[in-house]
């Protein structure tokens, strides 16, 4: 990172502030929705299902006065298999790097049991921490005060700030607060760069989102997407070949569906969004294959890009 700064052709700006801001919390509280709303674009996939996010996803917000690198993380849960272990580790690692941590709650569903590990971890961290109470569009405003009081007693938050990540309530105030707490620092990334992840990653995520939205029960959790080929071909069309790996033959059958109906819908939905994302027509060649028990196998997880 220092190298980028040193060799950077970007102008030096006095009083420029910059830093890493990690968003952490229980599954489904709205972390990815917040990242997207703050960035004004969809970077992280969002579904009503918990455990949608599996990786660290960055969003880089740059103005003339500051550069914030937001880090969206998987929800912290009690891990039952290796992928989940990895997810929790990813979330905690993101707090170690952070200048500021946004600990996020769902005002409609406060799970104090699940959050214990997070609060212990936060208390061991040196970073400053805000509490964000999300989904306030769904609750009576009067219920917020007792919640705020309860959390004041639990942890020494620098700020406690209610928001609706979905509707945008409280977000410009949130950015103002974040900037107040950011240290002075360099421009780490060119101003037009919006993430550390590459196009391939986002394309795989778009496909995975469609699987999450279109399938039920264990299928979303047994699915992982690998981009096998990504290239410009004739007439400016981008050719993308991707494989959706599932864990068992029976899941493969369900994912493909009767006469291929299910996989076809997933492919169509994904192609449309990928075209919008990369700004180019796409030929999407989607395949389904079995990698037995990949989610509980270190080597397979590595091959699928989770390490
Ligand atoms: P994550 O698991 O913490 O990343 O949560 P997501 O961002 O994936 O959101 C989980 C669900 O909560 C999705 O269905 C979102 O649309 C919904 N959601 C997130 N933020 C809000 C909010 O402020 N208000 C409402 N009503 N729903 C929200
Ligand atoms: Mg998420």
């Amino acid at each position: 990172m220092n190298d980028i700064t040193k060799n950077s052709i970007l102008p030096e700006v006095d009083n420029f502030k910059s830093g890493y801001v990690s968003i952490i919390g229980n599954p489904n509280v709205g972390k990815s929705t917040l990242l997207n709303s703050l960035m004004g674009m969809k970077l992280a996939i969002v579904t009503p299902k918990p455990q949608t996010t599996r990786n660290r996803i960055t969003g880089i917000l740059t103005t003339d006065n500051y550069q914030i690198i937001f880090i969206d993380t998987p929800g912290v849960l009690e891990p039952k298999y290796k992928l989940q272990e990895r997810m929790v580790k990813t979330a905690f690692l993101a707090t170690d790097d952070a200048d500021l941590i946004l600990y996020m709650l769902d005002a409609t569903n406060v799970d104090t049991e699940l959050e214990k590990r997070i609060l212990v971890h936060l208390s061991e961290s040196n970073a400053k921490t805000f509490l964000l109470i999300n989904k306030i569009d769904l609750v009576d405003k009067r219920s917020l005060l007792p919640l705020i009081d309860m959390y004041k007693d639990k942890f020494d938050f620098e700020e406690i700030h209610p928001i609706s990540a979905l509707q945008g309530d409280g977000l410009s105030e949130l950015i103002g607060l974040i900037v107040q707490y950011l240290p002075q620092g360099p421009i780490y990334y060119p101003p037009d760069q919006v993430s550390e992840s590459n196009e391939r990653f986002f394309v795989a995520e778009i496909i995975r989102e469609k699987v999450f939205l279109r399938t039920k029960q264990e299928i979303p959790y047994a699915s992982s997407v690998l981009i096998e080929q990504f290239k410009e071909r004739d007439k400016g069309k981008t050719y993308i070949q991707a494989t959706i790996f599932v864990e068992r033959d029976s899941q493969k059958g369900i994912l493909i569906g009767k006469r291929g109906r299910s996989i076809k819908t997933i492919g169509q939905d994904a192609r449309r969004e990928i075209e919008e994302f990369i700004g180019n027509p796409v030929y999407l060649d989607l395949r389904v294959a079995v990698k037995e028990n990949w989610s509980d196998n270190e080597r397979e997880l590595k091959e699928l890009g989770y390490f």
Side-chain angles (χ1 to χ4, degrees):
M1 206 165 299
N2 281 333
D3 282 338
I4 294 175
T5 324
K6 251 187 275 157
N7 303 329
S8 169
I9 48 159
L10 298 165
E12 290 272 326
V13 182
D14 280 341
N15 295 322
F16 193 82
K17 291 182 146 190
S18 60
Y20 284 79
V21 176
S22 293
I23 310 167
I24 184 166
N26 290 351
N28 235 25
V29 297
K31 299 177 294 298
S32 299
T33 305
L34 177 66
L35 177 78
N36 293 342
S37 292
L38 290 168
M39 292 299 299
M41 67 186 291
K42 182 173 161 186
L43 285 175
I45 63 173
V46 171
T47 79
K49 297 188 171 79
Q51 301 177 53
T52 303
T53 310
R54 290 177 181 164
N55 306 76
R56 169 192 204 271
I57 302 174
T58 50
I60 307 171
L61 190 66
T62 311
T63 70
D64 290 342
N65 303 310
Y66 58 81
Q67 181 167 71
I68 308 174
I69 301 119
F70 291 106
I71 305 176
D72 178 24
T73 64
V76 174
L77 40 68
E78 208 45 67
K80 297 199 176 67
Y81 45 91
K82 293 237 161 56
L83 173 64
Q84 290 186 331
E85 272 172 29
R86 187 65 218 171
M87 285 158 61
V88 174
K89 208 165 167 188
T90 300
F92 284 147
L93 276 174
T95 62
D96 295 343
D97 295 343
D99 294 288
L100 184 69
I101 296 168
L102 307 178
Y103 173 57
M104 197 164 182
L105 284 185
D106 177 343
T108 68
N109 181 19
V110 178
D111 189 333
T112 52
E113 200 45 48
L114 204 55
E115 79 177 2
K116 278 184 185 149
R117 265 187 87 183
I118 304 181
L119 291 181
V120 168
H121 189 85
L122 292 181
S123 65
E124 289 163 356
S125 158
N126 292 323
K128 297 198 160 41
T129 304
F130 291 1
L131 175 67
L132 300 184
I133 303 178
N134 190 32
K135 307 198 188 179
I136 57 165
D137 54 297
L138 297 177
V139 299
D140 185 339
K141 300 283 172 293
R142 282 169 302 186
S143 68
L144 293 178
L145 273 180
L147 198 58
I148 290 172
D149 281 340
M150 178 172 121
Y151 276 87
K152 269 187 184 153
D153 290 339
K154 272 192 193 206
F155 193 85
D156 189 16
F157 293 106
E158 302 294 328
E159 303 281 347
I160 296 184
H161 189 65
I163 59 167
S164 168
L166 191 65
Q167 302 197 338
D169 299 330
L171 297 194
S172 50
E173 294 84 352
L174 173 61
I175 299 242
L177 288 172
I178 290 170
V179 173
Q180 272 183 37
Y181 284 84
L182 275 190
Q184 297 217 341
I187 303 180
Y188 293 110
Y189 295 96
D192 59 351
Q193 187 172 337
V194 292
S195 182
E196 289 173 351
S197 307
N198 57 23
E199 249 176 7
R200 274 177 177 241
F201 172 77
F202 289 114
V203 166
E205 287 289 275
I206 291 170
I207 297 167
R208 202 165 61 76
E209 180 188 66
K210 304 314 170 200
V211 174
F212 259 66
L213 292 172
R214 292 276 177 186
T215 63
K216 286 187 282 219
Q217 283 148 7
E218 91 279 13
I219 309 280
Y221 302 101
S223 299
S224 193
V225 178
L226 192 68
I227 306 296
E228 316 265 8
Q229 286 191 62
F230 191 118
K231 56 186 180 197
E232 290 262 319
R233 273 222 305 223
D234 39 306
K235 300 192 196 97
K237 240 188 190 185
T238 304
Y239 173 79
I240 299 171
Q241 190 201 313
T243 306
I244 305 173
F245 287 101
V246 287
E247 303 200 289
R248 289 198 300 275
D249 261 328
S250 59
Q251 295 164 341
K252 180 176 169 181
I254 297 170
L255 187 56
I256 291 172
K258 261 197 198 123
R259 278 182 242 110
R261 241 203 237 131
S262 168
I263 191 68
K264 194 172 166 200
T265 316
I266 289 168
Q268 284 169 343
D269 290 356
R271 180 178 52 77
R272 255 180 246 128
E273 197 171 318
I274 294 166
E275 286 181 337
E276 217 171 279
F277 184 77
I278 67 174
N280 211 35
V282 163
Y283 182 86
L284 179 61
D285 178 358
L286 209 50
R287 304 172 185 192
V288 181
V290 176
K291 245 187 209 296
E292 255 173 61
N293 255 346
W294 65 262
S295 70
D296 204 21
N297 180 312
E298 298 264 348
R299 197 173 47 86
E300 302 285 22
L301 286 172
K302 205 168 191 172
E303 277 179 27
L304 289 166
Y306 291 106
F307 286 84

